[in-house]
Amino acid sequence: MCSRRSRTPLPTAAEASAWAEVLVRRRLLHATVLAPNGQWLVQRTLEAPVRVLDGPAAMVELAAQIQHRTRTTRTRTR
């Protein structure tokens, strides 16, 4: 089994922004907003509370978690 490589460089704001856009476009999140202080405001559904993520690394980590959940759920239903 291949071990998962860990990231060494920190994610940039541009990378986090790209992931946020994809997650909203694919309807995996309802909304994402980059705050002026570098935090991300994230809402999973229209009715869900807004979560505050502390910077680009947290947004990229959330994207990885959603991607993992999506892939494992899809595998179980096959």
Side-chain angles (χ1 to χ4, degrees):
M1 179 191 295
C2 241
S3 68
R4 190 171 156 188
R5 289 188 210 175
S6 62
R7 288 182 60 102
T8 47
L10 292 175
T12 63
E15 183 181 2
S17 181
W19 275 111
E21 183 181 334
V22 167
L23 293 172
V24 172
R25 189 176 341 124
R26 301 265 182 188
R27 296 184 178 155
L28 297 169
L29 290 176
H30 174 69
T32 59
V33 176
L34 176 59
N37 64 358
Q39 292 178 320
W40 284 89
L41 307 177
V42 177
Q43 191 174 26
R44 187 169 177 178
T45 65
L46 181 61
E47 298 82 22
V50 174
R51 289 179 51 192
V52 179
L53 303 180
D54 192 27
M59 174 55 80
V60 172
E61 177 61 30
L62 176 62
Q65 290 171 3
I66 291 171
Q67 187 177 33
H68 177 75
R69 185 180 69 234
T70 302
R71 287 182 176 178
T72 57
T73 302
R74 191 181 322 154
T75 302
R76 286 187 206 143
T77 59
R78 287 185 182 173

